[in-house]
Structures are given as structure tokens and as C-alpha cells.
Amino acid sequence: MIAAAAIGLCLAGAFFFLAGTVGLLRFPDAMSRIHALTKADNLGLGLIALALMLTSQSLAEMLKILLIWLVALAASSTICFLLGRSMQRRSQSPSGGDAQPLVRYRH
Amino acid sequence: MLSLAFDLLLAGALLLVSWRLLQASDLFQATVLFISFGLFLALAWVRLQAPDIALAEAAVGAGLAGVLLIGTFKRIEPQSRQNHDANDDVQPPGACRLDQAAACPGRFHYGMAGGCAGMLTLLLALAVMDLPRQGTGLTEIVADNLEMVGVDHPVTAVLLAFRLYDTWLELGVLLLALIGVFGVRGAQDLRSLPAHPVDAPVLRGLVLLLGPLTVLVTVHLLWLGDHAPGGAFQAGVVLAAGLVLFRLVGLPSVDRLPRVTLVCLVVLGFATILLLAVATTLLSIYHPLEYPPLWSKTMILTLEAAATVSIGVTLAALVILVLVVDEEP
Amino acid sequence: MQTFYLSVACFLLLTMIAGLLRVFVGPGQEDRLVAVQLFGTTGVAVLLLLGAALDAPAVRNTAMVFAVLAVLAVVAFVQSTENATRGKDRPSGREDIRNRAGEK
């Protein structure tokens, strides 16, 4: 019963990771690609963490997996906020923006 | 079967990333690829059943190397962009590759570096060929003598008892590196550099959450060292990463330490082992750097704690000194 | 169960390799960084799964280190970008945004 639940959660998690990667590759601009990171992947990690918590052997192990998920959740949402803000500022600033070429050397 | 598939995928990913990394003409792409290379490499170490190295790779690759590379990229970026705008035909130095014209200024260095790398590969290949076909190396000897040391993890026993000499000299190398950087940059630079407090409360909140967590992970890894993968180096790198994070958002870090405290913390690891060496040499009951089996667990934890603090502070000071150059007016 | 975990780990590794394409094509610096952060999250999941599949509890510590230190590169990126622009053409980021809001 628990094993079946863990398998189901794992498969759902894998699906969300797939959705995140498809979003990363297919979304048209960087601002929308951020969604792939904040939403799909964190949910995927959460589902997989939940599955592993169900099959874990001890309470300490369970709590550690929970802590890892919470830290990853806090970290990646902050990262996305920072990246989004950085993008916004660059596109507003008169000197920069994504339209400019990156550092690119000739061969 | 399945694990073979995983290994093949991982090896393929490593080769793909390293090939693209060398091919990339965009330096930022190369930087980002190097960070992901570290991630795949940590997975590979896990698969090779070397969890100690996987931990170190995760801490160095995901933490410190990324900061160093991105900081360096940001330092050279505006400059090279100006060059690019000013004259499209001028080739910035460093963009030369071996397959280009002989007039290229960096060509000789690339040849030298290639030659050295080739020699090293050859030496390594010879060393691997020289290994005995059968047998487990020193694993059995270490396992047999493990109870003499009083710790359960063989890697820790080797690093802090059987080959303490090596660890000692490695701490010395780290110390020399910091002295070298101080010689170029000036020790007071670390403290006089302006700290820009961030204007993002979200980031500040995250760092205030992660700060205690890095300390917790540091102590956890240090404590784990005597019976499981972990130990001084991994704990020290995590500590250094936490200190660098604090400095990045303008919170107090190693740069606020008084000069004497900084020096004391930096030499702590090396000095503790030096004291042990002097004491054991003078006592003459023991060989130099040998300690009584009765105390060995306490000794090892003390040495590891001292080494962790030194490694953490030294690495953090090194990274911060490299990072903050561009903040000068 | 362990075989199942390993197969999920394989699948996640495949999605990571597919995600590398975004690092290759970019185009912006943030695009590439977003992709690497995505690898970070997926990597934590793969490590957790490997820890369960290989029955190696030490792998969980590696996942923990990854989760805690993943922010470092992006914070360095954002901070140095801000410091560079702050030093170059504006007194401070916040003031600049306020000015622009006034113009509109």
C-alpha cells in the first residue's frame, strides 16, 4: 500500500520534472521560462521527497528529506525572484538589455 | 542493467558538457557549463561509491567555484564589451586557440599548457598501468589498523592519523596561497573594501535562514567525519561558502574580523598540528605526530575542528579578495 | 522498489541532459542561469533517489549541501551585475527606478 503510494508520487514527480524541462525549452522568453523553475520543478522535487519519506526507515531520515526539500524550495524561489528582477532592471536600463550581444569573440 | 544505463547517460552528459565547454566562444556559457559540469561530476562520484569526494565536489563545484567564475566573468565583461564595440577586428587577448594563426599572442602558452597536460596524462596512465592487477591496495591494511585509531571511517583514519603529515602540509599550502594573495592585494584590503548592503529583503531573509543552516551542516559534516563520509575539508568548504554568502549580501563576514583574530583563525589548523608535532617530538615516548590511542578520538575531533575553521576562513578570505576587486571606485 | 527509484533517477538525468540545450542556445545570461538552477533542483532529486536506490545514506548529505549552496552562484551574479551598473551609470539602483517611475 505504502509502496504503491510511493510509486504513484514518484511518477507524478517525474512528470512535473518533465513539464519543467519542456517549459524551459519551449517557453518563448526568459520571464516565462522562470515559471518552469519555480513551479514545476519544486513540485516535482516535493512529490519525490514525499515518496522517499514514505519509504524511509527512520524519523530522522524523514525529517532530513523534508528539510532538504524546504531549503531547495526557499532557495529556488528566491533565485527566481532575483533573476527576474535582474532581467527587469537590465531591460529598463538604457545601457544594457538582452538585445545586446553577449561577450562573443571572433574566430 | 539499469545502473549501466544510468552510468552511460552520466558519462555521455559529462563528455557533452566538457566538449561544449571547450567549444563555447561565449565566456558566460562556458562559466555556466562549468557549474553544471560540477553537478554531473558529483553524481559521477556518487556512482563511483566515493561519497567523500562527492561531498567535496558538491561544496566546491556548486558553491565556491561558481562564485569565483561568475565574479571573474563580471570583472572582465564590461572591459571586453568595450573592446568589442570600439573595434570589431581587434581580438581580445585570451581568445586565441591553438588552431589559429601563429601571430596569435597566446599561442605559445596554449602549447605549453597542452604539453604539460599531455605529460601529466601520460604519467597518470603509466601510474594506472603500474597498479597491481589483483588486490585492493591499502584498503585491507587500513581496515586492520582501524581500531588503533579510534574512528570508524577509514578515510578519516587515513587523513588524520596514518597520513597526518600530508594533511598538515596541505593546510600549509592553503596558508601559503592566502599569504600570496595578501602579498598582492594587501591584507587590509579585505577590511577596507566597501560592503554594499542589498536592497532586496527577500534575499536578506533567505541568507538569514541559510546562515544558521550552513553552520548546522558544517558541524554535522564535522561530527559525521569519524564514522561516515564527511570531515574537515567538506565542512570547511561549506563554512567558507556561508561566509562568502554573508559577504555578498553585505552582512558581517570575515572582512569584519579584526586583523589579529583573522590571522589566528587562518593559522589555527596548521598551528594545532604543529603543536602536536613539537609535543610528540619532545616527549620522545612517541614518534613525531603519533598520539596515544586512548586519546585519539578526542585528538582527531580537535584537529578536525581546528582544520575546519582554518579552511573555512582561508577559503572565504581568498574568494572574497578575488570577488571584490571591481568594487573599487 | 530500488530498481524503480533507479529508473526514475535515469529519467530525471535524461531531462537534465535535454535541459542542457537551453544552456547551449541561451540567448541571455539569465536564461542559462535559470537552466543551471533547474539542474540544481533536479540534481537534488536524483541524489535523493540514488541515496534510496543504492541504500547509501551519505548521499543525502550531498543533496543537502547542494540545496544549501545552490543560491551562491546566482547571488554572486546578481550582486556583481548590480555593483557594476551602480558604479557605472547610476548612483543607486533604487533611486534610478524611482526616477523612471516619475518620468512615466
Side-chain angles (χ1 to χ4, degrees), chain B residues 199-290:
Chain B
D199 55 345
V202 183
L203 178 57
R204 199 173 254 274
L206 179 77
V207 172
L208 288 177
L209 173 81
L210 286 183
L213 255 164
T214 48
V215 176
L216 181 71
V217 173
T218 304
V219 176
H220 183 57
L221 288 179
L222 180 64
W223 183 251
L224 272 183
D226 75 345
H227 59 272
F233 183 71
Q234 288 88 341
V237 175
V238 173
L239 182 66
L243 287 169
V244 170
L245 190 62
F246 265 56
R247 177 60 183 77
L248 280 175
V249 300
L251 288 167
S253 176
V254 281
D255 54 318
R256 303 283 176 84
L257 289 173
R259 190 193 174 90
V260 182
T261 320
L262 180 71
V263 171
C264 283
L265 291 177
V266 164
V267 300
L268 185 65
F270 189 81
T272 314
I273 307 184
L274 182 68
L275 270 181
L276 176 72
V278 170
T280 46
T281 311
L282 288 181
L283 270 175
S284 73
I285 322 166
Y286 303 106
H287 296 291
L289 286 179
E290 181 193 353

Side-chain angles (χ1 to χ4, degrees), chain B residues 130-147:
Chain B
D130 209 34
L131 285 176
R133 293 272 153 167
Q134 253 83 52
T136 46
L138 295 172
T139 320
E140 280 165 22
I141 304 174
V142 170
D144 288 344
N145 293 304
L146 208 54
E147 66 236 37

Side-chain angles (χ1 to χ4, degrees), chain B:
Chain B
M1 177 59 209
L2 206 54
S3 43
L4 181 70
F6 188 86
D7 293 348
L8 284 178
L9 275 177
L10 196 54
L14 278 169
L15 283 176
L16 178 69
V17 172
S18 45
W19 176 67
R20 287 292 309 201
L21 197 142
L22 295 175
Q23 284 291 311
S25 55
D26 170 10
L27 281 182
F28 192 78
Q29 184 183 345
T31 304
V32 168
L33 280 175
F34 194 82
I35 299 175
S36 27
F37 185 75
L39 208 150
F40 286 116
L41 203 58
L43 288 177
W45 285 121
V46 167
R47 282 297 297 146
L48 288 171
Q49 298 184 339
D52 291 271
I53 310 179
L55 262 178
E57 177 61 45
V60 174
L64 293 182
V67 172
L68 268 183
L69 286 173
I70 286 183
T72 311
F73 173 80
K74 283 290 171 184
R75 253 180 74 194
I76 59 174
E77 183 194 21
Q79 204 184 339
S80 44
R81 184 176 282 175
Q82 277 159 18
N83 282 354
H84 189 85
D85 290 345
N87 188 350
D88 266 7
D89 296 330
V90 172
Q91 197 156 36
C96 288
R97 296 196 330 206
L98 208 55
D99 53 353
Q100 284 166 344
C104 204
R107 197 177 151 87
F108 179 65
H109 300 98
Y110 275 77
M112 288 239 296
C116 289
M119 294 261 283
L120 191 64
T121 313
L122 194 69
L123 277 176
L124 281 174
L126 285 177
V128 170
M129 301 248 286
D130 209 34
L131 285 176
R133 293 272 153 167
Q134 253 83 52
T136 46
L138 295 172
T139 320
E140 280 165 22
I141 304 174
V142 170
D144 288 344
N145 293 304
L146 208 54
E147 66 236 37
M148 233 172 70
V149 186
V151 293
D152 300 330
H153 188 51
V155 176
T156 309
V158 170
L159 287 181
L160 283 146
F162 302 144
R163 303 300 300 266
L164 182 60
Y165 204 83
D166 285 355
T167 310
W168 187 26
L169 293 185
E170 279 162 18
L171 287 173
V173 169
L174 207 55
L175 196 62
L176 280 180
L178 188 64
I179 291 173
V181 174
F182 273 165
V184 177
R185 300 266 304 146
Q188 67 273 24
D189 275 12
L190 191 64
R191 270 166 293 121
S192 60
L193 287 161
H196 292 300
V198 270
D199 55 345
V202 183
L203 178 57
R204 199 173 254 274
L206 179 77
V207 172
L208 288 177
L209 173 81
L210 286 183
L213 255 164
T214 48
V215 176
L216 181 71
V217 173
T218 304
V219 176
H220 183 57
L221 288 179
L222 180 64
W223 183 251
L224 272 183
D226 75 345
H227 59 272
F233 183 71
Q234 288 88 341
V237 175
V238 173
L239 182 66
L243 287 169
V244 170
L245 190 62
F246 265 56
R247 177 60 183 77
L248 280 175
V249 300
L251 288 167
S253 176
V254 281
D255 54 318
R256 303 283 176 84
L257 289 173
R259 190 193 174 90
V260 182
T261 320
L262 180 71
V263 171
C264 283
L265 291 177
V266 164
V267 300
L268 185 65
F270 189 81
T272 314
I273 307 184
L274 182 68
L275 270 181
L276 176 72
V278 170
T280 46
T281 311
L282 288 181
L283 270 175
S284 73
I285 322 166
Y286 303 106
H287 296 291
L289 286 179
E290 181 193 353
Y291 35 82
L294 196 64
W295 294 356
S296 59
K297 190 157 182 162
T298 326
M299 290 292 300
I300 283 184
L301 264 181
T302 316
L303 292 184
E304 281 213 287
T308 302
V309 172
S310 282
I311 291 170
V313 173
T314 310
L315 285 179
L318 279 173
V319 172
I320 290 170
L321 271 173
V322 173
L323 267 189
V324 283
V325 175
D326 59 335
E327 290 182 6
E328 283 166 9

Side-chain angles (χ1 to χ4, degrees), chain A residues 33 55 64 85-86 89, chain C residues 5 22 30-31 61 82:
Chain A
R33 274 176 221 134
T55 53
K64 196 178 208 170
R85 197 179 63 149
S86 148
R89 285 194 177 166
Chain C
Y5 282 150
R22 183 48 75 195
E30 281 90 354
D31 294 293
N61 292 324
E82 281 192 6

